[in-house]
Amino acid sequence: MNNFEYCVPTRVIFGRDTHKNIGELIAGYGFKKILVQFGGGSVKESGLLDQVEDSLKSHGIEYVLLGGVRPNPGLGLALEGINLCRKENIEFILAVGGGSVIDSAKCMADGVLNPDVDPWDYFMKKAVPDKALPHGNILTLSASGSETSLSCVITKEEEGLKRGFNSPTHRPLFAVLNPELTFTVNKFQTGCGTVDIMMHTLERYLGGPTKDTPLTDRIAEGLLTSVMEAGEKADKNPEDYEARATLMWAGSLSHDGLTGLGRDYLMQVHQLEHELSGLYPDIAHGAGLSALFCSWARYVCKDAPMRFAQLAVRVFNQEMDFENPVYTALKGIDRLEEYFKSLDMPVSLRELNSGITQEDFLLMADKCSSKGEKTLTGIHELGREDMIEIYRMAY
Amino acid sequence: MNNFEYCVPTRVIFGRDTHKNIGELIAGYGFKKILVQFGGGSVKESGLLDQVEDSLKSHGIEYVLLGGVRPNPGLGLALEGINLCRKENIEFILAVGGGSVIDSAKCMADGVLNPDVDPWDYFMKKAVPDKALPHGNILTLSASGSETSLSCVITKEEEGLKRGFNSPTHRPLFAVLNPELTFTVNKFQTGCGTVDIMMHTLERYLGGPTKDTPLTDRIAEGLLTSVMEAGEKADKNPEDYEARATLMWAGSLSHDGLTGLGRDYLMQVHQLEHELSGLYPDIAHGAGLSALFCSWARYVCKDAPMRFAQLAVRVFNQEMDFENPVYTALKGIDRLEEYFKSLDMPVSLRELNSGITQEDFLLMADKCSSKGEKTLTGIHELGREDMIEIYRMAY
């Protein structure tokens, strides 16, 4: 087990009706003027935005609305938001939406208090934010875990570059998690969310050669087992509160750090997928992940067959083949692929219907490897040629 | 699943050598004068206190030492510490030790900033602390989970009353967790710690009738499985770093709230045990728990056989008897009892060798039930007569 630091100061407020007290909650922190960030029309249509506005008004909190965040959120809107926050002397940013809205809010929060830094520099690892405007969220989509995580992923539209970075400034002050707000998430987005949640834990679990993390392993395996069950239930019955609750809480735990404590990992499949949805912004992140993951797993599993076998036995209920652990490892990956299919999630790039061609593989591998200058560490270190091969296998 | 709030702002710094940077860590928060609280001679003999003092000195941090905390820490020393902190204008309390030392520090932290309240009133639920001096710890014993928890348990010596209460003021600013510092913990104390860690999760898992917490269940089951394995390894080889690391991290997670999220519970066995070690302060808390738990479990399991059967199947690898779940439930309890015995932990009150008599049962049940006026909620609500019966079964 490696040494680690872990601190999740975000106050989680979980359960039915919890969003209705948002005005009181924010007033309790003493904020008087806030910006409310949201995405498209769904929070308007559902009446959620009205409820939020009513609650803010009844607690005397002034607010400015900024909508329009799209999936794979862009730098452009965040820059606009930063200017707006400065102009309006905003004290706090409330994100109402999914991971894209929250990430846009995080990017803004970093930017507002650091006027001398180009916010994109943070994503290019040229600078580190040392302070940020406080921010919190009302979550409407179980997937990214951004509601409690250190992460923030933004796309620079004109270059098709999707990049993320971690920072303690990204931990929200609070996260209001009401599973009922996800009842209206459609089948495809529910599937994407289930995949994304699983990936955040799987990539930690399979991301590196660290040994001796039995407690972290057991927590990860328990989370995966619960999420698969809940994903299936929510797929069949979108208003199953308990299934939605499991997905929502698992979404937070899966990316807050807990399921990788003491382990080395670099999220290789996330890196490969960022190139994909960076180039084709219409590809949903979860769909890109499910299209790539099993090919990646088959490519690397021979380097750590016992690790993949452990997953197969403990999460996918496979019998251990003691004479041939690779066989068990591969069977586990097959079961995972079947699970993705059962949710109608793509398991190949072709199924994404995005117009992706084999020529794109070179471009994406070039970007991901900085033209061959960078490799991705892991149980199998991936260079440019490995990346091309995985994209090809996934096609 | 019930609604819940969850927030663990404590910064966990985990791993080898981490305690050596304590001066730098505290200086980073800007504290200039602190009190260092510790227990008996072990932190002196091991050289740990010297290391702490050297590190504080080299970062220009003034400090006052206050040793002498005993197991089942008393109110008397805490009151003395409160006066000392006020007199010396202490800004921060550093606890170096196990749960007793940390709890004593928490009691002091509450007291220092609330001069108009008798600190014992908090434990008697007559008042609630709204602020406290910041405090942190270097942990030397994996057991209580106090290093990150909301809990604080103190004994009022002259009345033999051991009482605890939860408060956000009890969350430490940081917890320095170096498993190497527990290499010297002896066999008996290691066993006590293993039991205590298991109980914090088991009492949440079995503490109430809540349904539909599959993720919390899986995390709890994973923690129990890992702890049992690590407890066995540490019992055989006290310097097994990985086993000590699992116990230490499990100790924190087991009582920080995570393993009971969304569930109703009241820790009945802890309540019954507090009367025991309140009356006989020489009884180690973990030994008291292992002496009582299986009798309690056999007494209440018929009210929730499927819950106990789930534990037996998932944690103790028992086959499910679908025609007779109570049989499976009881087999799981038998396996737990065997596990305690394998660590040489007591499974009856008689083995505690404390001079406890059957007459004490009435006294303890009177105290625990406030002379029959109070019951303990749970899957089986316990009144005074139930308590007497459980003490009797455990004898």
Side-chain angles (χ1 to χ4, degrees), chain A residues 271-333:
Chain A
Q271 305 278 330
L272 295 171
E273 196 289 319
H274 282 179
E275 301 311 332
L276 196 62
S277 52
L279 199 61
Y280 292 94
D282 289 338
I283 295 178
H285 177 54
L289 291 171
S290 75
L292 287 169
F293 188 83
C294 294
S295 297
W296 169 86
R298 291 186 181 108
Y299 190 79
V300 307
C301 77
K302 290 173 193 71
D303 292 281
M306 292 304 271
R307 188 78 189 154
F308 277 85
Q310 179 178 321
L311 176 73
V313 170
R314 292 196 185 162
V315 177
F316 295 98
N317 298 314
Q318 299 303 296
E319 284 290 330
M320 179 66 189
D321 184 333
F322 292 93
E323 294 187 358
N324 190 357
V326 173
Y327 178 74
T328 310
L330 288 168
K331 265 178 50 180
I333 299 168

Side-chain angles (χ1 to χ4, degrees), chain A residues 1 3-9 11-12 14-16 212 214-215 218-219 222 225-226 242 246 249-250 253 261, chain B residues 1 3-9 11-12 14-16 212 214-215 218-219 222 225-226 242 246 249-250 253 261:
Chain A
M1 192 196 284
N3 284 12
F4 64 80
E5 264 207 50
Y6 180 57
C7 181
V8 187
R11 178 178 167 198
V12 170
F14 192 99
R16 295 180 199 267
D212 291 316
L215 176 54
R218 293 275 180 194
I219 291 174
T225 304
S226 318
E242 303 300 344
T246 296
W249 183 225
L253 287 183
L261 291 176
Chain B
M1 191 196 284
N3 286 11
F4 64 81
E5 265 207 48
Y6 180 58
C7 182
V8 187
R11 178 177 167 198
V12 171
F14 191 100
R16 294 180 199 270
D212 291 316
L215 176 55
R218 293 274 180 195
I219 291 173
T225 305
S226 318
E242 303 299 344
T246 296
W249 183 225
L253 287 183
L261 290 177

Side-chain angles (χ1 to χ4, degrees), chain B residues 218-352:
Chain B
R218 293 274 180 195
I219 291 173
E221 290 152 1
L223 184 140
L224 289 167
T225 305
S226 318
V227 168
M228 288 178 67
E229 200 177 87
E232 216 163 62
K233 287 181 181 174
D235 182 67
K236 291 207 179 85
N237 175 9
E239 303 205 358
D240 181 332
Y241 178 84
E242 303 299 344
R244 292 293 194 181
T246 296
L247 289 177
M248 190 166 247
W249 183 225
S252 294
L253 287 183
S254 196
H255 205 30
D256 84 355
L258 180 71
T259 62
L261 290 177
R263 299 191 59 78
D264 273 320
Y265 58 87
L266 185 145
M267 299 193 158
Q268 292 185 332
V269 186
H270 267 74
Q271 305 279 328
L272 295 170
E273 197 289 320
H274 283 178
E275 302 311 332
L276 195 62
S277 52
L279 200 61
Y280 292 94
D282 289 338
I283 295 178
H285 177 54
L289 290 172
S290 74
L292 286 170
F293 187 82
C294 293
S295 297
W296 170 85
R298 291 187 181 107
Y299 189 78
V300 307
C301 77
K302 290 174 193 71
D303 292 281
M306 292 304 271
R307 188 79 188 154
F308 277 85
Q310 179 178 321
L311 177 73
V313 170
R314 292 197 185 161
V315 177
F316 295 99
N317 299 314
Q318 299 303 296
E319 284 290 330
M320 178 67 189
D321 185 333
F322 291 93
E323 294 187 358
N324 190 357
V326 173
Y327 179 75
T328 311
L330 288 167
K331 266 178 48 179
I333 299 167
D334 290 346
R335 292 298 91 74
L336 179 60
E337 192 167 72
E338 284 163 22
Y339 178 73
F340 289 160
K341 284 182 186 169
S342 79
L343 301 179
D344 292 325
M345 293 301 294
V347 294
S348 69
L349 296 178
R350 229 183 272 263
E351 291 167 75
L352 293 170

Side-chain angles (χ1 to χ4, degrees), chain B residues 177-239:
Chain B
L177 309 183
N178 178 356
E180 294 173 305
L181 298 180
T182 64
F183 283 177
T184 53
V185 175
N186 69 28
K187 180 185 166 69
F188 175 66
Q189 286 300 336
T190 300
C192 286
T194 302
V195 170
D196 199 18
I197 295 167
M198 291 179 69
M199 285 306 120
H200 289 148
T201 287
L202 276 172
E203 293 236 59
R204 287 172 165 89
Y205 189 89
L206 301 168
T210 327
K211 289 193 185 301
D212 291 316
T213 55
L215 176 55
T216 294
D217 285 2
R218 293 274 180 195
I219 291 173
E221 290 152 1
L223 184 140
L224 289 167
T225 305
S226 318
V227 168
M228 288 178 67
E229 200 177 87
E232 216 163 62
K233 287 181 181 174
D235 182 67
K236 291 207 179 85
N237 175 9
E239 303 205 358

